Amino acid sequence: MSGRIRFLLTVAVVAAIAMGFPVTGPARAAWPERPVTLLVGFAPGGTMDLSARALARATEKVLGKPVVVENKTGGTGTVALAALLAQKADGYTLCATPSSVLIRVSQMQRVPFKPLASFRPILGFTTPQLGIVVKQDAPWKSLAELVAYAKKHPGGVKYATTGVGSTTHAAVEELAAREKVRMIHIPYKGSIEALTALLGGHVDFASVTSEFIPSVKGGQARLLVTMGEKRSPKFPRVPTMKEAGYDFTNDAVYAVVAPAGLPPEIAKKIEEAFARAVRDREFLEALDRIDLVPVYYNSKAFNEFLQAQWKIINRHLTSAGLIRQAATPPE
Amino acid sequence: MDILNGLLYGFSIATQPGHLALVFAGCLLGTLVGVLPGLGPVAAISILLPLTFHLPPAGAIIMLAGIYYGVMYGGSTTSILVNVPGETASVVTCLDGYQMARQGRAGAALGIAAFGSFIAGTVGIVGLQLIAGPLSSVALKFGPPEYFAIILMGFTFVTYLAPGSSLKAGIMAVLGLILSGVGLDPITSEQRMTFGVLNLFEGIGVAPLAMGLFGVAEVLNRLEQASFGRVLQVKIRSLFPDRKDWLSARWAILRGTLIGFFLGILPGGGPVLSTFISYGVEKRIAKEPERFGRGAIEGVAAPEAANNAAASTSFIPLFTLGIPPNVVLAVLFGAFLVHGIQPGPLLIRDHPDIFWGVVGSMYIGNVMLLVLNLPLIPLWVQVLRIPDRILYPLILLLCVVGAYSINNSVFDIGVMVVFGVVGFLLKRGSYEAAPLILAFVLGPMLEVNLRRSLLISGGDFSIFFTRPIALGAMIVCLFLLALSFLRAKKGN
């Protein structure tokens, strides 16, 4: 092979490789010049992941630039938030997170960020449906039957949730505190993992987000209770936690946050883009498929929501004796 | 829909001209990704995912699946000719493949890898098609104790079967395990070994680590060699393995296929683990195990068969339970969802076009890969035969760009460089990097399953010895440990 052909081949290879990678450059006000990464702290296939992906697609249409979802699981969603802070505050890395990670998880665990100061909220966009499911062949037809069994067998009932301090965990803690039952908590990284453990018979029940829909509709699992203000339109016969006699409604809102140092002019562009994206028809259809209710909090409203939630949940957790004080200082 | 009708339906979808073109594109891209070191299927599928948004769902999944199994074919070429794994599932192929190439048997090595891949891949698809449902209910029975015991067995296999000293391999596995602990605790979010460095909160990235240990370290290693020669100059006489090759490789292909077949279905198994285990099995049962590492054809045939079988069967839990069993399928899972399809028990019923279309396209893709790749190997060889002074800076450049582009993080480049130097030093002390990487990847799974098991049992370790599957895996572990002690004693 002659030198020239070899040279040309090399050039061709370099060019082919170079085209495979996104072109990156320093952040300028002309956001977005390159793909935006949206971090997600829970496993693919979960409602957080699915709704973030739907939102990313809708935002792409607005921006004309790819919005790439990247799952960084672990620590009940805190790993992704920590990962966000490791990136430049240039608007090219954002994080989709349930508000509960900033509120509940941060009070139950010492997390490596200041939940109310390290981030700039962009928007809150949906609220998940939560529920308690058991296997189809389990003997319990209602939550009351399950609770009665758990009372008779202290420490004999195992349950899966989406992580320590998550809203799904909090619901069971609430129930356990009220009924004074002792059950064993097995934390998983997301609802799909928790459901798999349930279907495999490794836990007795699972407190999870609406990923249970295919399993319940497919006749493998039975839904005992949901945790919304009202009954889910998809499961009108299933009572809510409130109807079952427990003072618990899901208070988590799925949101997008940026690092706190985001330049205001970029923040404005991002907020406008997402505000348009949440009106996208395909986005709304995607939410409906997984039983998520669309809501909209702008940056300011979501910030106020977080401040208020912090106090409410703190009072709740301390009065229930679950914590003495918040494990992480908020600011 | 019965299986025969389903298959015919699948072929009718896969042979639509548009879909055929997508199968072809997926296979070709997959092979290129497999050939190029430092760029793996996860990165490739993630980068290409946005391109599929405008395709109909069946077409998009068909193409992305093609990349996945195409990579399994392409990876062996680089392993055999350059001694750098094109991607992780081809790490063990380096051991004997490169030695074969040095002995002038590159053609036979490449040929047996391709034919072995084809046979195993096809067997895997037959399995996917026939037993998707029943088999995955077995995998579902695996709880935390079973996972823990099986991953531990994987660790033991990897140290026991590693070339050279088991002690050194064990040290590497433990080092990998320790490195995997860096970052936030997966359950309680406490910081571990982060030294307050924000970039370490999410742990060390597997891609920069692997690129450092395999890519950069290899380049440094070459720099040290006196002759600044080219990447292995080989004459490929024939890509068809001769009768003798077939005779010695046929059972290896079969065993590799079986191992890959089952490990593919097992969540957390997948192509990479299957290559390590099938290589180990071959070495164990060989009459002259000392041939391994010196150009044994079984050492190429078995792992290459295993990774293709595993690539095919890893679709089983995804299609029937909606559970991605490994990281590539987790990305692919995202692709399903982007297209509004929920993988799960209802997938085959509600979206027969996807399930049967993908099955049909995989048959076609495997034939394409075999027919195209054998003639194309000379082209890949040309790609790889670029002179050292250009190739090595190019590999470095690729690694730097690759490490950076995953998170747009300069820190990751630093991680890669540090582990490049570490890998170089390890190599000089004849410590193998492969057990380190495997332990690094499996470490977090080992940890959470250990902790979940102990939560279930209330801190009682007997849980690993009272459940049949876990007990079986534990016995294998102890047996292997005992064997390696005996071996070490004999050595002295």
Side-chain angles (χ1 to χ4, degrees), chain A residues 10-68:
Chain A
T10 311
V11 171
V13 170
V14 174
I17 293 159
M19 282 189 296
F21 293 102
V23 180
T24 57
R28 257 167 267 137
W31 185 93
E33 289 183 313
R34 54 185 169 93
V36 176
T37 302
L38 186 60
L39 303 175
V40 174
F42 293 87
T47 47
M48 184 67 248
D49 175 77
L50 293 176
S51 58
R53 282 176 194 277
L55 183 64
R57 270 204 83 181
T59 314
E60 272 176 1
K61 285 191 215 159
V62 177
L63 295 176
K65 281 276 187 297
V67 178
V68 185

Side-chain angles (χ1 to χ4, degrees), chain A residues 1 6 10 14 17 20-21 34 45 50 60 70 72 75 78 85 87 109-110 112 187-188 193 196 200 202 220, chain B residues 47 53 140-143 186 188-190 198 201-202 323 333 337 345 382 387 390 394 398 405 407-408 452:
Chain A
M1 195 162 56
R6 199 176 290 147
T10 311
V14 174
I17 293 159
F21 293 102
R34 54 185 169 93
L50 293 176
E60 272 176 1
E70 199 180 312
K72 288 210 181 290
T78 53
L85 292 185
Q87 303 296 325
Q109 310 174 8
R110 202 161 50 85
Y188 284 85
E193 269 197 21
T196 311
H202 307 294
Q220 291 156 315
Chain B
I47 291 169
F53 285 171
L140 194 64
K141 287 288 164 216
F142 286 70
T188 65
S189 310
E190 284 293 320
L198 207 53
F201 282 7
E202 54 174 304
I323 298 163
F333 188 85
L337 303 169
Q382 297 303 352
I390 295 167
L394 191 65
L398 242 181
S405 70
N407 286 327
N408 289 335
R452 281 178 198 147

Side-chain angles (χ1 to χ4, degrees), chain B residues 186-231:
Chain B
I187 291 178
T188 65
S189 310
E190 284 293 320
Q191 294 179 37
R192 299 192 302 202
M193 295 183 275
T194 59
F195 307 102
V197 178
L198 207 53
N199 284 297
L200 286 177
F201 282 7
E202 54 174 304
I204 297 166
V206 63
L209 182 71
M211 283 185 225
L213 288 174
F214 288 102
V216 177
E218 182 61 28
V219 171
L220 290 176
N221 208 36
R222 296 296 178 106
L223 286 178
E224 199 196 30
Q225 287 168 5
S227 70
F228 209 67
R230 285 179 192 154
V231 177

